[in-house]
Amino acid sequence: MAENISEISSAPTPLIQLRDVSKTYRKSGTDITIFHNLNLEIKAGDFVAVMGPSGSGKTTLLNLLGGIDRADAGSIAINDEELTHMSESRLSRWRADTVGFIFQFYNLMPMLNAASNVELPLLLTRLSRSERRKNVETALQIVGLEDRAGHSPKELSGGQQQRVAIARAIVSDPKLLLCDEPTGDLDRGTAAEILETLQMLNRDFGKTIIMVTHDPEAARYAKRVLHLDKGHFIEKELSS
């Protein structure tokens, strides 16, 4: 049974709070409203799948939550920090500390091996080389690729490349993982392995995960499913 998202009870202090968020893009001289007074709360440790038709604003939502794009109006607070009025430099630091991104296409640097790809987010931190190396080793171990650290992307399967991308996303220990169709380029069996990895990160490491997907089978791995359509959320219970 569907409910309006504003009627869903949530934790007293959610990790993510959107209040009356509006976002409009201008295309070919026409204003296209993606969101108008959008509200959302997500508690820490949740795993939410976001579904909806093309053009419904799913990727825009991830960009707003990741501080890549800015709302035109309203408030976005994550981990008790208000994104709306942050300077670009402060927003960059916040993003590096708080958010890990996982995409459909792995976005690995082809000239770097797996370990060096995973290390990239740490190069802008104050960690020493030995500290960075330890973090990289831990991240690769978590995704089961410690024995592939020296391999280049072309020497890895698609599933292994996505695991490297996941290791890169978690290497700085962010609270929030934003996943945009993370299994869209994988076969069903490999996709299941990646989704099980995300479940493990949520279950064992307490990562809050928001995953955009078109695939109902992928959405089953989440704890909650939100359907985004015409700028509004509808939450549906997962079938057993």
Side-chain angles (χ1 to χ4, degrees):
M1 183 176 181
E3 310 177 75
N4 188 286
I5 193 68
S6 64
E7 298 171 353
I8 299 168
S9 61
S10 59
T13 53
L15 179 73
I16 297 170
Q17 292 180 295
L18 274 66
R19 292 284 180 264
D20 298 325
V21 169
S22 297
K23 182 64 183 177
T24 299
Y25 291 109
R26 191 163 185 81
K27 184 176 180 181
S28 303
T30 302
D31 288 336
I32 301 173
T33 298
I34 307 297
F35 301 130
H36 179 65
N37 292 338
L38 183 72
N39 293 283
L40 175 66
E41 291 187 354
I42 295 176
K43 65 183 180 180
D46 211 347
F47 184 171
V48 179
V50 179
M51 305 187 73
S54 296
S56 60
K58 300 184 299 297
T59 297
T60 298
L61 174 67
L62 292 188
N63 289 342
L64 291 172
L65 293 176
I68 295 173
D69 203 352
R70 291 185 183 267
D72 297 326
S75 168
I76 300 176
I78 299 179
N79 197 31
D80 292 326
E81 294 198 67
E82 173 61 54
L83 274 60
T84 312
H85 303 298
M86 277 189 188
S87 67
E88 289 298 330
S89 60
R90 175 70 187 95
L91 192 58
S92 294
R93 292 193 300 273
W94 171 86
R95 188 187 302 119
D97 291 338
T98 309
V99 186
F101 295 91
I102 302 168
F103 304 98
Q104 176 177 350
F105 302 108
Y106 325 120
N107 296 340
L108 301 179
M109 301 295 288
M111 73 291 295
L112 300 179
N113 63 26
S116 296
N117 267 286
V118 173
E119 186 184 16
L120 285 174
L122 302 179
L123 295 179
L124 298 178
T125 71
R126 297 181 178 180
L127 293 178
S128 67
R129 184 176 179 181
S130 62
E131 288 172 324
R132 296 199 307 269
R133 186 184 303 115
K134 183 177 180 181
N135 284 18
V136 169
E137 289 173 355
T138 299
L140 285 171
Q141 185 176 22
I142 287 171
V143 301
L145 281 184
E146 61 270 30
D147 59 339
R148 295 290 190 269
H151 288 63
S152 67
K154 68 180 180 181
E155 297 173 311
L156 302 173
S157 68
Q160 289 172 332
Q161 289 185 61
Q162 187 62 300
R163 286 179 182 276
V164 172
I166 293 172
R168 181 183 58 195
I170 65 173
V171 72
S172 58
D173 196 23
K175 293 181 179 295
L176 175 64
L177 296 179
L178 300 178
C179 311
D180 196 354
E181 298 284 359
T183 60
D185 198 42
L186 302 172
D187 62 70
R188 181 64 67 186
T190 305
E193 294 174 358
I194 294 301
L195 291 163
E196 287 166 5
T197 299
L198 293 178
Q199 274 190 330
M200 176 269 292
L201 290 170
N202 174 251
R203 180 187 63 246
D204 298 344
F205 293 90
K207 300 302 179 188
T208 304
I209 300 176
I210 302 177
M211 176 180 70
V212 162
T213 181
H214 284 94
D215 183 0
E217 290 301 314
R220 290 178 182 274
Y221 286 80
K223 294 177 179 176
R224 300 166 61 199
V225 178
L226 300 179
H227 288 258
L228 184 56
D229 195 10
K230 299 178 181 177
H232 296 283
F233 284 114
I234 301 293
E235 178 159 7
K236 295 185 178 179
E237 293 181 2
L238 290 169
S239 14
S240 55

